[in-house]
Amino acid sequence: MGIVHIDSVKQGMVLSEDVKDISSRLLLSKGQPIHQKHIRIFKIWGVTEIEVNTESEDDAPADPNKPVADNTVITQQTNAVFRNVDRDTPLVSELIRIAIAHRSRTQSEPIAHGQGGTCIQDLSAAPIRSEIITTLKSSKTQLPELPTLVSELNEIVNDPHASVEAIAQVVNKSPSLAALLLKIVNSAFYGFSTKIDSISRAVTLIGVKEITTLAIGVSALRLFKDIPRDLVDVASFFKHSFACGLIARMLAAHKNIQPPEQLFVAGLLHDIGRLILLKHFSDRYSELLHVAATSASSLYTLEKAQLGCRHTDVAKYLIETWKLPPSLADTIYYHHRPSSARAVKRAAVVHLADMIAHGLGLGNSGEHCVPRYDAEAVKQLDILPSNLELIVRQAVHQLVFLDAMFQEEALQ
């Protein structure tokens, strides 16, 4: 017997132990030969290693890393993204290596990132400070409301006797939401071998909470499609948000942190406070976006210095207003400083996922460099540097299938 990294698994190998997902669901029994479809399913469900019968040196794990040609411009660009982070940390060092390789493969022209010059004091106006939250709480500001069907879904989920048909009936009230959910269910995000053609079938296969959580996350982002394109590239913002959600889900699956579907939504909505700031304080916030793009300061730092609050404060208030789970609000609120969260590991998952998405250049939320890195919180996740590449590869693979539909969603 031998433990084999998933990237080194070959078709025809025979399992010496059962392969199960994070919920202990059996994916393939021991004694079964492995086929290509099994390898794909293992990767989708976050399996990183399996035990197989090894009878020859041919089955020995091989280094899956392929050398990428040196690209000085890409290397400089990536280093600029991590300029505020201790790059000597093994996990960060490995992430930078992966990010350089990814950017070298996917970018025909490097994206310019500001590297200095402009500082916080260059802004002409005085800080707005606490006026932001005060204004949001006033009756003058109309915060977006979650669709009624999300509230209905939450009520059904809390009913232990709720049926699959009842959930499907609520989702199907919004044909566009139902269609988008079915696209997600039929993508590599889940990897089913046969097409799922109804919400009822999706709920049966995936679960009540999973479908409900997806509906909440998707519905929340859709509320901000009307933000002017000259303020933010909505498609790129959606891509970054979804990438963060995917990576958070992968990290949660890898470390068996429950529930993974809520961490996916926490990643999806982690920057939703910025959308509120763009929507209601567009002049001031667009000014901050410009400074962040041309300076060495992170947007997260500029927010506190100039607005008196951060996008995480706004997000927390919004999520509480929506009456979403307090654990979700806590994870999103502390995703930049997870050591202070009630559930440190959950916040650290989104913290690291956000950092990975920024490093790889998967979309853009207005932040041009990774903000403060909470090494102590991430250390609690016990993520080995050697595990990062597989997690990133799986997330990027799934994002390819989902990016197109969310870009279309953002541009409708």
Side-chain angles (χ1 to χ4, degrees):
M1 294 189 299
I3 298 176
V4 180
H5 191 280
I6 197 68
D7 277 347
S8 300
V9 174
K10 299 176 183 177
Q11 184 166 306
M13 286 182 171
V14 177
L15 287 177
S16 60
E17 293 293 337
D18 293 343
V19 178
K20 299 179 180 180
D21 67 7
I22 60 172
S23 301
S24 296
R25 181 177 59 176
L26 183 66
L27 299 180
L28 191 64
S29 302
K30 66 179 180 180
Q32 297 294 316
I34 300 171
H35 300 292
Q36 198 62 40
K37 65 178 182 180
H38 298 138
I39 298 173
R40 181 173 63 88
I41 291 171
F42 295 162
K43 289 183 177 182
I44 287 170
W45 286 103
V47 176
T48 58
E49 296 175 331
I50 62 173
E51 292 192 45
V52 299
N53 295 323
T54 53
E55 299 179 353
S56 70
E57 294 181 358
D58 291 338
D59 292 333
D63 183 3
N65 300 327
K66 294 182 179 180
V68 179
D70 178 56
N71 186 317
T72 303
V73 175
I74 293 291
T75 299
Q76 291 175 345
Q77 172 198 9
T78 307
N79 284 333
V81 173
F82 290 92
R83 59 181 171 264
N84 296 325
V85 177
D86 180 5
R87 285 171 277 182
D88 293 330
T89 304
L91 194 69
V92 175
S93 178
E94 173 64 3
L95 175 55
I96 292 175
R97 185 195 68 78
I98 293 170
I100 291 172
H102 176 80
R103 288 172 179 264
S104 296
R105 289 192 301 267
T106 58
Q107 290 183 191
S108 56
E109 293 183 15
I111 301 170
H113 291 274
Q115 298 191 49
T118 308
C119 61
I120 295 173
Q121 287 75 16
D122 290 333
L123 289 174
S124 57
I128 298 176
R129 305 216 182 271
S130 60
E131 293 177 16
I132 294 285
I133 297 297
T134 301
T135 304
L136 288 176
K137 290 181 178 180
S138 71
S139 57
K140 297 178 182 178
T141 304
Q142 295 298 315
L143 290 174
E145 295 182 1
L146 277 178
T148 303
L149 70 86
V150 175
S151 299
E152 292 179 19
L153 279 172
N154 277 327
E155 291 179 7
I156 291 175
V157 168
N158 292 323
D159 179 1
H161 303 294
S163 66
V164 170
E165 289 73 21
I167 296 167
Q169 187 176 18
V170 173
V171 173
N172 286 327
K173 287 182 180 180
S174 172
S176 61
L177 176 61
L180 185 57
L181 289 176
L182 286 176
K183 284 182 181 180
I184 295 173
V185 169
N186 283 296
S187 72
F189 189 64
Y190 289 102
F192 293 116
S193 57
T194 57
K195 185 176 181 180
I196 312 303
D197 57 5
S198 70
I199 294 295
S200 296
R201 179 69 172 153
V203 174
T204 301
L205 290 173
I206 297 170
V208 171
K209 290 185 178 180
E210 186 83 13
I211 287 295
T212 303
T213 304
L214 279 173
I216 290 172
V218 169
S219 298
L221 275 190
R222 294 171 110 201
L223 297 173
F224 298 92
K225 292 191 297 183
D226 61 343
I227 290 179
R229 299 295 190 271
D230 59 340
L231 291 178
V232 65
D233 183 339
V234 178
S236 184
F237 192 102
F238 276 25
K239 181 174 182 176
H240 171 77
S241 300
F242 209 90
C244 186
L246 278 172
I247 297 168
R249 184 175 183 265
M250 288 291 182
L251 292 168
H254 180 64
K255 303 307 297 185
N256 197 20
I257 298 173
Q258 300 291 336
E261 68 273 2
Q262 192 178 96
L263 284 165
F264 166 73
V265 170
L268 189 67
L269 302 182
H270 74 290
D271 279 338
I272 198 167
R274 286 197 172 130
L275 294 177
I276 290 289
L277 290 168
L278 281 164
K279 190 177 182 72
H280 294 288
F281 307 93
S282 57
D283 290 345
R284 189 63 175 164
Y285 205 74
S286 60
E287 197 175 356
L288 288 183
L289 287 171
H290 172 72
V291 174
T294 56
S295 76
S297 299
S298 71
L299 182 57
Y300 180 69
T301 300
L302 289 167
E303 287 173 348
K304 183 63 175 178
Q306 296 300 314
L307 303 182
C309 69
R310 295 186 171 110
H311 68 282
T312 49
D313 298 298
V314 177
K316 183 174 183 288
Y317 175 67
L318 180 65
I319 291 168
E320 289 173 346
T321 301
W322 283 344
K323 294 181 170 56
L324 295 181
S327 57
L328 181 64
D330 182 71
T331 301
I332 292 175
Y333 180 64
Y334 287 107
H335 79 268
H336 280 296
R337 45 193 183 100
S339 288
S340 300
R342 293 186 186 91
V344 174
K345 287 186 178 181
R346 290 165 53 82
V349 163
V350 179
H351 178 73
L352 181 57
D354 186 34
M355 182 174 170
I356 293 172
H358 278 306
L360 271 65
L362 301 175
N364 192 298
S365 65
E367 190 73 83
H368 290 279
C369 63
V370 175
R372 172 181 170 270
Y373 172 52
D374 193 335
E376 287 303 312
V378 173
K379 186 177 180 179
Q380 292 192 33
L381 295 177
D382 194 27
I383 299 288
L384 297 177
S386 58
N387 296 145
L388 269 185
E389 180 141 14
L390 177 62
I391 292 169
V392 167
R393 192 177 301 175
Q394 290 175 357
V396 170
H397 173 69
Q398 293 185 5
L399 190 63
V400 168
F401 291 88
L402 293 166
D403 184 32
M405 72 178 71
F406 269 81
Q407 294 237 4
E408 179 183 345
E409 183 74 11
L411 296 173
Q412 284 180 352

